[in-house]
Amino acid sequence: MPEPTKKDETPNGQPEESVALPLPEISLEVSPPPEAVAEVKEPVETDGKNPEPTEPEPLQAVVAKEPSPIENGCNQPQLGGVAVKEQAESASSTVKEEGPCSPPPPDNDDDAAASSPTPTPPPEDASSLKKLSIELPNDSVPVPAMGRKDSVWSLGEGQVPEDLDKPIDTPPLSTLLIEKPESASVSVGADITFIAKVEAKDLLRKPAIKWFKGKWMDLASKTGKHLQLKETFDRFTKIHTFEMHIIKAKENYAGNYRCEVTYKDKFDSCSFDLEIKETEQGSQNIDIRSAFKRSSEGQDDAGELDFSGLLKHREPKQEEVPEVDVWEILKTARPDEYEKIAFTYGITDLRGLLRRLKKTKKEVVKSEAFSKKLEPAYQVDKGGKIRLMVDLTDPTVDLKWYKNGQEIRSTPKFIFEHKGTQRIMVINNCSLLDDAAYSVAAGDEKCTTELFVKELPVKIVKNIEPVKTTVNERIELECEVSEEGAQVKWMKNGVEVPTGVRSRYRVKCEGTKHFLVIDDASKEDTGTYSIMATGGTSEAHVQVDLKPLKIYQDLQNMTVLLGQPLKMHCEIYPGNVPGRWYRNGQLIQPSDRINILHRNKNHRLEIETTSLHDSGDYTFVPEGYSQSLSAKIHIIDPPQVHLDSLNFPDNTVTIVAGSKLRLEVPISGEPTPRVVWMKGERVILESGHRVHAETFGDQTSLTIEVTEREDSGNYKIVLQNEAGEATASVKIKVVDIPDPPEAPLVPVVGGDWCAMAWEPPHYDGGSPILGYFIERKKKQSSRWMRLNFDLIKETTFEPKKMIEGVPYEVRIFAVNAIGVSKPSDPSKAFIPLAVTSEPTMLVVDDVTDTTVTMKWRPPDTIGAAGLDGYLVEYCIEGTDEWIVSNTELTEKTKYTITGLSPGSKILVRVSALNAAGSSTPRTIQHSILVKEVIEPPKIRLPRHLKQTYTRRVGEAVNLVVPFLGKPRPKVSWLKEGNPIDPTHVSIRNTDCDSIIFIRKAERSHSGKYEMTVQVENHVDTSIIDIQIVDLPGPPQCVTIEEIWGGNVALDWSPPKDNGNAPITGYTIQKADKKTMEWYTCVEHYHRTCITITELVVGNEYFFRIYSENMCGLSECATQTKDSALIVKEGLQLKTPEYIDRDFKEPPKFTQPLINTFAVAGYNATLNCSVRANPRPKVMWMKNKIAIIADPRYRMFSNQGVCTLEIRKPNPYDGGLYTCKAINDLGEAQVDCKLEVKGGFTFYELMHRGVPLHLIDKYMNEAKTVEPEK
């Protein structure tokens, strides 16, 4: 179908009525087969005029002014004032079908030239002759759309009926938009907002949205002060909201807008209209040239929506005052001359000119030569036949036919017929060359029309087969289409395949078969190849693999002496495959020393003289293969020890004890020799703490962190590698300081002094001891303080001036000629001790018949020795004997004295003890009577139980009620004054609380529970109100009270069962009788009557109501017994009587299942389509076993399309899948085989924990599948 051209034409300048230009009669003629025509009885009159017996009535279609919302939420204008003429009784097919989101026809002038209306598809049932007459008001049709090539459609009489019987492929519609922008109107200078919403529950990321004005203008580049785009996302409802704000609207903002939403392979769009209201102005005394020139505001404002903002700007020119009346010229001119007149007189705003011209009156000029002119446009399928007919006033007038301005002569293709005053031109075997403008001239008058030749889509008859081959082979992809000579396009991975002279790809065609040939395949030819035709696509995967690599001789590991030649050799197949050599991952390039050879299957690498750098891992990689050949080369050299560089006399090293010694000895050898340091028979390890040996490449070292006298002696160095062994010796002499003395003893401690003594060190370091140093520190401190600055010759000393209560430690240093020894170990800590003060606040905590519990606070003053514990004693009144109650000290400040006689009186005292002794005891002032005290009971009811405690049916009830009282109170429970059944309610009592537990609450558990706590004659009670609630029942008696216009009044009664909770609201839903799909009108509604508004005229509705309480909606709803038919008021339509057609039919699969190959781990989908009425029940089976509640399968059914999705299949999911549809009239089923590729090995199945009998079954199935392939 050619793209509609941007021109405005009306057929032969027909006169228009008072305000709008005339709208030509749009005809849709469909020729039925003879048997259908024979059944025609009597046409139905719709507009009061009798149809002509010789010619079919044309189809007149007019869109009403005001758009009304459709039930599914898509804002589309509805047809108003429809009258249907039928000449056949089979009226099931529809003339025009619109998708839920197809763009509506424009209803204003601004966007008529930028957007093209959707052409009407051919009817599904072409066996019946139908005529649809719809009157359109002239003021709702844009003037430019009246003469457009795609504004009207006409099918000639000679169209082949078989072509009309072909089914129309309707692509599946994707519904992303849950709320779509609606058409609206706004005054000039006002603001308006359009909102679109997308639900994101099944979306992984944000969808992409685009706003358009007209057909192609993207509004994203026009945002500014007059246009703003906003996006928001609600995390709770998972809804994306997209808003378009138009600020201070202008007249040129009016037009058709479009919103497009895309997400991966999903797409949704919706069109809406914006009308700008303006004040009516007369056309008198208007300078038409200056009034309809473009405004230059869009040059500086990025928010303007005018199309001229995208055009090249020129400097405005000064125009002279018009000397002619342009209005008179426009009134008498044909619409196809408007552009020429506007260009001649410098008028650039053609849309404004047409809008203003539309409001002017034009005199009606009646044609003198034609009583009936040609239709504005006709449509015919390619290869069909079309008849163009005019009716003459004077049959003697000479008539001539023209095609694109050239006269048509009578030929077998163009046949002229005469029937009375009718003149008919028949065009046979229409082709794309016949798509042109036709005109007929009768004397001085002429009428024109346009013929559209519709080319049927080319469909794929035979799909491409997948190919798997190896390099250098020939690949030929074959596909068969439905028509010879069809134009197709070959694609590879979504990119068109080049088919030039120098291209590797060749394309040939043999009748309906098309071939893509690759003579010499390479690995780069792997990919997905597809063929595209106008009616479909087909694709297949081509896999080109390399030929398998065979290794006849692999590389060998070698060991070579330094300076000797190296030769490496390998042999592989195929022999013509080049390769590369690598050493330690680095590419080897040939040089004077390195030679690389390749002869047939042999590959060689030769090195004349080896060096240490030639050692490493060598790899040969054949080009194009992932396999490689590897070997290790070792270059060896005998080890040597170089002691001459040390410059030590007699290889002897002298060091002072305590110093660090690091002796580094140079060595050589390849590979790096193994170095061993030895002292006598002891080996010095690298991991030693104080003495350790290390080796770094060309040297080895011996390190002694702190030298000692034991380190003196001869050290031996042993070097070993693959080439030999070497040894050497070094002597080390150490001079040391004395050993530290032993820890001093402190036998006597005074108030501020102590006496200490020690023994001389065991080793004096080879020099006599000169004296000692003494140091002291506090135990908690880390800083030592020296007590003497002159050496002490004796081995005793008395430190003084110490602080009482502070722990101290002392240590000793020995001194000789070499230096000072390390300090001795500290002495044991000694502390001047002090007794603590007495405990405080001794009181009685509890008294029973045999025990008394006392508690107290720690002493105010605790000595330096700390607090070891407390001693509790008691004395019976009248005696002086104090009895110790606790044999062991207690660290707690609370103690219970047991074993007392009831009724006796005792005195109690407590003492604090530490290392210095016992403190003064704290005695209670008064005697204590050993007798239990009664405490009245008291229930401590929690705050949340003081109100009604509410739980839902099935939930657990677990209440804990604490209480007080001594001795242990008795607890009892009553429900509504009766004892509680322990089989339904469990109660457990402790010393301080009572627990009531109901595992699964029921409504019978509701009520008031009374808890009683009793201690002797003291009683305390509390009441707990428990309410168990459930879902309410449905409302009662839902009736339709009144129907007026698009409104329905409903009334109902509250439910009998409120679920033991007050009703919080109602939810009202409606359903169209045709689809019976329920939609929610109102939620959380509190009253028992409501008026449902905005119902669609002509639809019949049922209603149902759910009741709601705090638990949720009722499980079922109450539906109205009768339906509500919405009838348009004031319209008297004579409805013809028809015999109701029985649409019921048993299930029939229109698209069967197809055998499918799936890849393990990737989702697989099985699709089929079924037709049945009433709606069938669809059931999926695997190997004749029904698939029920399996989380690995997802089943969908939408508009008859049944889909089974298998999530991440494995080889067990392969087998025979069946889709079965069942209704009251019968059943049908289709089968397909699913094979899952990329299975598992026996080891992988065992590793995954699969049982052995399932592994055996899977392995047997895999063996049987291989021969079938």
Side-chain angles (χ1 to χ4, degrees):
M1 189 70 191
E3 184 71 12
T5 57
K6 186 177 180 184
K7 63 178 181 179
D8 306 321
E9 294 181 351
T10 56
N12 201 20
Q14 292 185 0
E16 65 176 50
E17 296 185 18
S18 59
V19 176
L21 292 176
L23 178 68
E25 189 179 33
I26 303 172
S27 65
L28 175 61
E29 301 176 0
V30 181
S31 299
E35 59 272 19
V37 177
E39 296 176 2
V40 175
K41 294 182 180 179
E42 181 176 327
V44 180
E45 297 183 3
T46 60
D47 55 358
K49 296 181 181 181
N50 296 326
E52 296 181 8
T54 59
E55 290 293 326
E57 283 290 327
L59 174 92
Q60 299 181 355
V62 175
V63 182
K65 279 186 178 181
E66 298 293 336
S68 59
I70 304 301
E71 183 62 37
N72 59 6
C74 184
N75 188 15
Q76 303 261 358
Q78 294 209 355
L79 299 177
V82 178
V84 180
K85 299 180 181 181
E86 294 197 9
Q87 297 182 356
E89 293 185 4
S90 59
S92 62
S93 64
T94 60
V95 176
K96 181 175 182 180
E97 296 181 357
E98 292 186 4
C101 292
S102 60
D107 59 351
N108 55 66
D109 296 327
D110 289 336
D111 202 46
S115 63
S116 58
T118 305
T120 306
E124 293 182 0
D125 188 3
S127 62
S128 61
L129 178 61
K130 302 177 64 178
K131 295 182 179 181
L132 179 64
S133 177
I134 308 171
E135 296 183 359
L136 288 168
N138 288 335
D139 55 353
S140 66
V141 178
V143 174
M146 296 168 59
R148 294 166 54 97
K149 294 181 68 175
D150 56 341
S151 299
V152 292
W153 300 80
S154 174
L155 294 175
E157 291 182 340
Q159 187 169 355
V160 183
E162 289 76 3
D163 296 339
L164 298 176
D165 293 334
K166 295 181 181 179
I168 301 175
D169 296 332
T170 304
L173 298 177
S174 174
T175 55
L176 291 173
L177 293 169
I178 60 174
E179 180 178 333
K180 304 177 181 180
E182 299 182 355
S183 299
S185 60
V186 66
S187 300
V188 176
D191 300 342
I192 189 169
T193 301
F194 295 95
I195 299 176
K197 293 185 178 180
V198 178
E199 188 173 11
K201 291 185 179 179
D202 299 330
L203 307 183
L204 300 180
R205 57 180 176 83
K206 184 185 75 173
I209 187 169
K210 290 186 177 180
W211 298 85
F212 295 91
K213 182 182 183 202
K215 183 178 180 181
W216 53 269
M217 182 177 178
D218 191 352
L219 297 181
S221 61
K222 305 295 290 181
T223 55
K225 68 178 182 180
H226 289 283
L227 175 67
Q228 295 181 2
L229 303 180
K230 182 180 179 182
E231 300 179 3
T232 58
F233 177 68
D234 192 340
R235 297 183 179 274
F236 299 98
T237 60
K238 303 294 183 182
I239 292 178
H240 290 278
T241 303
F242 304 94
E243 300 179 5
M244 181 178 73
H245 303 279
I246 297 179
I247 304 169
K248 296 182 180 180
K250 298 182 179 180
E251 292 183 5
N252 57 355
Y253 292 2
N256 178 261
Y257 291 79
R258 188 170 77 257
C259 171
E260 293 185 357
V261 180
T262 57
Y263 177 79
K264 292 185 177 179
D265 56 346
K266 297 182 180 179
F267 174 80
D268 200 355
S269 67
C270 187
S271 296
F272 54 96
D273 301 312
L274 174 61
E275 179 183 358
I276 306 298
K277 297 180 180 179
E278 58 182 349
T279 306
E280 294 289 340
Q281 296 179 358
S283 61
Q284 293 78 9
N285 301 326
I286 295 178
D287 186 351
I288 187 170
R289 299 193 215 180
S290 60
F292 296 103
K293 285 188 178 179
R294 288 290 186 189
S295 172
S296 61
E297 292 183 28
Q299 299 175 2
D300 301 325
D301 186 3
E304 291 290 341
L305 306 184
D306 196 351
F307 283 92
S308 62
L310 302 177
L311 302 177
K312 182 177 180 181
H313 302 291
R314 295 182 174 90
E315 293 297 331
K317 298 180 180 180
Q318 298 294 332
E319 297 291 342
E320 298 179 359
V321 178
E323 299 177 358
V324 295
D325 190 354
V326 183
W327 287 115
E328 294 299 329
I329 298 176
L330 292 172
K331 290 179 181 178
T332 58
R334 297 196 310 271
D336 60 344
E337 298 177 351
Y338 288 165
E339 274 188 286
K340 182 177 180 182
I341 297 172
F343 179 76
T344 303
Y345 293 97
I347 299 173
T348 57
D349 190 1
L350 184 58
R351 294 199 194 104
L353 170 68
L354 296 178
R355 189 188 312 114
R356 189 63 56 85
L357 185 62
K358 178 181 176 181
K359 299 177 182 178
T360 62
K361 296 184 178 180
K362 190 174 183 181
E363 297 180 1
V364 178
V365 179
K366 187 176 182 181
S367 175
E368 297 179 356
F370 298 98
S371 60
K372 182 177 180 181
K373 297 184 178 182
L374 293 173
E375 302 298 333
Y378 295 86
Q379 177 185 342
V380 65
D381 286 341
K382 182 181 178 181
K385 182 174 67 175
I386 188 70
R387 301 174 70 232
L388 306 180
M389 184 192 69
V390 296
D391 199 346
L392 299 176
T393 305
D394 184 5
T396 62
V397 176
D398 187 16
L399 196 71
K400 292 184 179 181
W401 293 83
Y402 297 91
K403 173 183 177 184
N404 290 335
Q406 296 185 1
E407 185 177 356
I408 303 174
R409 301 296 180 182
S410 178
T411 62
K413 184 176 184 67
F414 297 95
I415 301 174
F416 300 102
E417 298 179 0
H418 293 235
K419 293 182 181 180
T421 60
Q422 295 180 351
R423 300 294 182 264
I424 303 171
M425 181 179 68
V426 180
I427 306 175
N428 295 314
N429 192 18
C430 293
S431 63
L432 295 179
L433 298 177
D434 297 323
D435 190 307
Y438 292 84
S439 62
V440 58
D444 296 334
E445 290 194 26
K446 181 187 292 186
C447 64
T448 62
T449 186
E450 293 196 27
L451 175 62
F452 295 94
V453 179
K454 181 180 179 182
E455 186 176 7
L456 297 178
V458 179
K459 296 185 178 180
I460 304 297
V461 177
K462 180 180 179 182
N463 292 326
I464 312 173
E465 298 293 337
V467 176
K468 185 174 183 180
T469 184
T470 58
V471 295
N472 302 328
E473 299 292 337
R474 185 175 184 271
I475 300 175
E476 182 175 306
L477 301 178
E478 178 184 353
C479 179
E480 186 175 351
V481 298
S482 60
E483 183 178 336
E484 292 187 7
Q487 296 294 329
V488 298
K489 183 185 293 186
W490 288 91
M491 312 285 286
K492 176 186 176 183
N493 298 329
V495 180
E496 185 175 359
V497 174
T499 57
V501 178
R502 299 183 179 179
S503 175
R504 300 179 58 254
Y505 303 94
R506 291 191 298 108
V507 176
K508 63 179 181 177
C509 176
E510 297 178 0
T512 59
K513 295 184 179 180
H514 293 260
F515 301 87
L516 177 65
V517 180
I518 306 174
D519 291 325
D520 188 8
S522 63
K523 191 171 179 62
E524 289 74 16
D525 294 327
T526 300
T528 300
Y529 290 79
S530 61
I531 183 171
M532 297 179 60
T534 57
T537 61
S538 175
E539 66 177 22
H541 185 74
V542 174
Q543 180 67 37
V544 181
D545 297 326
L546 296 172
K547 293 184 179 180
L549 181 68
K550 297 181 180 179
I551 302 175
Y552 292 155
Q553 181 176 349
D554 201 348
L555 296 177
Q556 303 295 328
N557 297 337
M558 301 176 66
T559 301
V560 181
L561 286 174
L562 182 66
Q564 298 298 320
L566 170 65
K567 295 182 180 181
M568 302 183 69
H569 169 259
C570 66
E571 187 175 348
I572 62 174
Y573 174 83
N576 60 346
V577 177
R580 295 186 178 184
W581 293 84
Y582 294 88
R583 178 177 60 239
N584 297 329
Q586 299 293 329
L587 180 64
I588 300 175
Q589 299 290 349
S591 62
D592 297 337
R593 196 173 60 91
I594 301 175
N595 189 18
I596 298 176
L597 303 175
H598 174 207
R599 293 180 181 176
N600 296 330
K601 303 177 184 179
N602 297 318
H603 294 265
R604 300 176 64 88
L605 174 65
E606 297 180 354
I607 302 176
E608 295 181 0
T609 304
T610 57
S611 64
L612 296 179
H613 300 288
D614 295 328
S615 180
D617 295 333
Y618 284 75
T619 304
F620 176 76
V621 180
E623 185 174 346
Y625 290 87
S626 60
Q627 293 178 265
S628 61
L629 292 77
S630 301
K632 291 186 177 181
I633 303 300
H634 294 275
I635 307 300
I636 60 176
D637 184 25
Q640 292 182 3
V641 182
H642 305 281
L643 291 177
D644 299 338
S645 60
L646 296 179
N647 296 324
F648 291 138
D650 299 330
N651 293 333
T652 302
V653 179
T654 304
I655 187 72
V656 177
S659 301
K660 179 178 180 180
L661 172 64
R662 181 177 178 87
L663 181 61
E664 296 181 352
V665 180
I667 61 174
S668 62
E670 182 62 33
T672 301
R674 177 175 175 267
V675 181
V676 178
W677 285 81
M678 302 180 65
K679 182 182 179 183
E681 299 297 331
R682 181 171 63 89
V683 177
I684 301 174
L685 303 178
E686 294 183 0
S687 60
H689 176 66
R690 189 179 63 86
V691 181
H692 56 87
E694 296 176 320
T695 301
F696 303 97
D698 58 349
Q699 69 177 10
T700 182
S701 65
L702 174 67
T703 303
I704 303 177
E705 297 295 338
V706 180
T707 53
E708 298 177 356
R709 64 185 180 90
E710 291 83 2
D711 298 329
S712 300
N714 291 326
Y715 289 80
K716 184 179 180 182
I717 307 173
V718 181
L719 277 68
Q720 293 179 344
N721 68 359
E722 299 178 7
E725 179 178 343
T727 60
S729 297
V730 177
K731 183 178 181 180
I732 297 176
K733 182 179 180 181
V734 179
V735 180
D736 200 357
I737 60 174
D739 288 343
E742 294 183 356
L745 301 177
V746 183
V748 181
V749 177
D752 59 349
W753 61 275
C754 71
M756 56 181 297
W758 63 92
E759 295 293 334
H762 299 290
Y763 173 66
D764 59 2
S767 178
I769 300 298
L770 301 179
Y772 302 93
F773 289 113
I774 295 91
E775 289 185 348
R776 180 187 69 192
K777 78 173 185 67
K778 297 177 182 178
K779 185 176 182 181
Q780 295 82 1
S781 175
S782 60
R783 185 172 63 88
W784 290 89
M785 182 178 67
R786 180 162 293 185
L787 301 182
N788 62 315
F789 295 97
D790 297 329
L791 292 176
I792 299 175
K793 307 294 183 181
E794 297 81 8
T795 57
T796 59
F797 186 71
E798 291 185 0
K800 297 182 179 179
K801 298 183 179 180
M802 293 185 293
I803 301 174
E804 184 178 359
V806 177
Y808 288 92
E809 293 177 347
V810 291
R811 67 181 183 180
I812 309 297
F813 291 88
V815 182
N816 66 359
I818 303 301
V820 182
S821 69
K822 294 181 179 180
S824 66
D825 293 336
S827 65
K828 292 183 179 180
F830 52 94
I831 308 172
L833 300 178
V835 179
T836 65
S837 62
E838 61 182 7
T840 60
M841 299 180 65
L842 178 64
V843 295
V844 179
D845 184 52
D846 190 17
V847 178
T848 64
D849 291 340
T850 58
T851 63
V852 173
T853 302
M854 307 295 296
K855 65 179 180 179
W856 59 91
R857 298 294 300 275
D860 294 335
T861 303
I862 298 176
L867 181 63
D868 295 338
Y870 300 94
L871 181 66
V872 181
E873 300 173 297
Y874 69 92
C875 173
I876 300 175
E877 189 177 19
T879 64
D880 297 334
E881 182 183 1
W882 289 93
I883 302 172
V884 177
S885 178
N886 56 327
T887 56
E888 296 182 357
L889 297 180
T890 177
E891 297 180 356
K892 299 180 180 180
T893 58
K894 183 177 180 180
Y895 186 78
T896 300
I897 303 173
T898 60
L900 300 176
S901 301
S904 61
K905 293 183 178 181
I906 62 173
L907 294 174
V908 180
R909 69 181 184 183
V910 179
S911 303
L913 281 76
N914 64 1
S918 176
S919 68
T920 304
R922 168 70 71 173
T923 306
I924 195 166
Q925 297 180 356
H926 304 285
S927 61
I928 302 171
L929 177 62
V930 182
K931 184 177 181 182
E932 188 170 11
V933 180
I934 296 176
E935 181 181 350
K938 182 175 179 59
I939 300 175
R940 306 291 295 273
L941 191 65
R943 180 177 299 177
H944 69 281
L945 296 181
K946 294 180 181 180
Q947 302 175 355
T948 301
Y949 184 76
T950 305
R951 279 290 181 272
R952 298 186 180 184
V953 172
E955 294 183 349
V957 177
N958 189 8
L959 304 180
V960 179
V961 183
F963 55 82
L964 302 175
K966 288 186 180 181
R968 178 175 179 175
K970 297 180 180 179
V971 182
S972 61
W973 287 85
L974 297 176
K975 178 186 176 184
E976 304 293 348
N978 300 318
I980 296 176
D981 187 0
T983 60
H984 294 83
V985 181
S986 300
I987 296 177
R988 182 176 64 84
N989 300 323
T990 64
D991 295 342
C992 59
D993 57 26
S994 179
I995 301 174
I996 180 170
F997 176 72
I998 303 174
R999 185 176 300 276
K1000 191 174 182 180
E1002 299 178 358
R1003 291 178 61 178
S1004 59
H1005 294 144
S1006 301
K1008 294 186 178 180
Y1009 291 76
E1010 182 180 355
M1011 176 183 176
T1012 303
V1013 180
Q1014 182 178 2
V1015 176
E1016 295 185 356
N1017 296 329
H1018 303 278
V1019 179
D1020 190 13
T1021 61
S1022 181
I1023 296 176
I1024 301 175
D1025 188 4
I1026 299 178
Q1027 181 181 7
I1028 308 301
V1029 298
D1030 197 0
L1031 294 175
Q1036 305 181 62
C1037 188
V1038 179
T1039 59
I1040 299 176
E1041 294 294 330
E1042 185 179 359
I1043 303 173
W1044 73 97
N1047 308 315
V1048 173
L1050 302 177
D1051 193 7
W1052 64 91
S1053 302
K1056 291 183 180 180
D1057 183 12
N1058 62 356
N1060 203 21
I1063 299 298
T1064 58
Y1066 300 91
T1067 297
I1068 299 92
Q1069 295 182 346
K1070 65 179 179 181
D1072 192 349
K1073 186 178 180 180
K1074 299 177 183 177
T1075 61
M1076 288 309 292
E1077 294 183 359
W1078 293 95
Y1079 298 90
T1080 300
C1081 300
V1082 182
E1083 294 180 329
H1084 314 302
Y1085 188 74
H1086 298 285
R1087 302 173 63 185
T1088 58
C1089 60
I1090 191 174
T1091 300
I1092 306 300
T1093 61
E1094 297 182 359
L1095 299 177
V1096 179
V1097 174
N1099 288 2
E1100 190 171 357
Y1101 294 91
F1102 284 96
F1103 301 90
R1104 67 181 183 185
I1105 302 177
Y1106 291 88
S1107 57
E1108 182 180 4
N1109 64 2
M1110 62 183 297
C1111 293
L1113 295 177
S1114 58
E1115 295 181 352
C1116 59
T1118 303
Q1119 181 178 331
T1120 58
K1121 296 181 179 180
D1122 302 326
S1123 61
L1125 178 61
I1126 309 303
V1127 182
K1128 185 175 182 180
E1129 296 180 356
L1131 177 63
Q1132 298 297 330
L1133 178 63
K1134 183 179 179 181
T1135 306
E1137 296 182 358
Y1138 300 100
I1139 298 176
D1140 294 337
R1141 177 177 175 180
D1142 187 8
F1143 290 95
K1144 294 184 178 179
E1145 60 175 332
K1148 178 182 178 183
F1149 282 90
T1150 60
Q1151 178 65 36
L1153 293 172
I1154 301 175
N1155 294 339
T1156 306
F1157 291 91
V1159 179
Y1162 294 87
N1163 292 357
T1165 304
L1166 303 179
N1167 298 284
C1168 63
S1169 60
V1170 64
R1171 184 177 67 212
N1173 191 7
R1175 181 180 296 177
K1177 176 183 178 182
V1178 179
M1179 179 173 59
W1180 288 88
M1181 293 181 289
K1182 175 189 175 185
N1183 297 330
K1184 305 301 181 182
I1185 299 176
I1187 300 174
I1188 301 175
D1190 193 333
R1192 295 185 301 108
Y1193 298 93
R1194 287 176 45 179
M1195 290 166 275
F1196 308 94
S1197 180
N1198 185 15
Q1199 301 295 329
V1201 178
C1202 306
T1203 303
L1204 175 66
E1205 181 182 351
I1206 307 173
R1207 297 182 175 179
K1208 296 183 178 180
N1210 54 43
Y1212 305 115
D1213 295 322
L1216 181 66
Y1217 284 81
T1218 304
C1219 181
K1220 190 173 184 180
I1222 306 173
N1223 68 358
D1224 297 338
L1225 302 180
E1227 63 181 37
Q1229 68 179 29
V1230 289
D1231 303 327
C1232 76
K1233 291 183 179 180
L1234 175 65
E1235 181 179 348
V1236 181
K1237 295 184 177 180
F1240 303 98
T1241 63
F1242 181 84
Y1243 173 76
E1244 291 173 341
L1245 295 176
M1246 288 292 294
H1247 185 67
R1248 292 171 179 264
V1250 180
L1252 289 176
H1253 69 281
L1254 294 179
I1255 298 177
D1256 182 62
K1257 180 180 178 182
Y1258 166 66
M1259 301 302 287
N1260 292 334
E1261 291 178 355
K1263 292 179 181 178
T1264 57
V1265 170
E1266 290 298 330
E1268 293 179 1
K1269 293 183 180 178

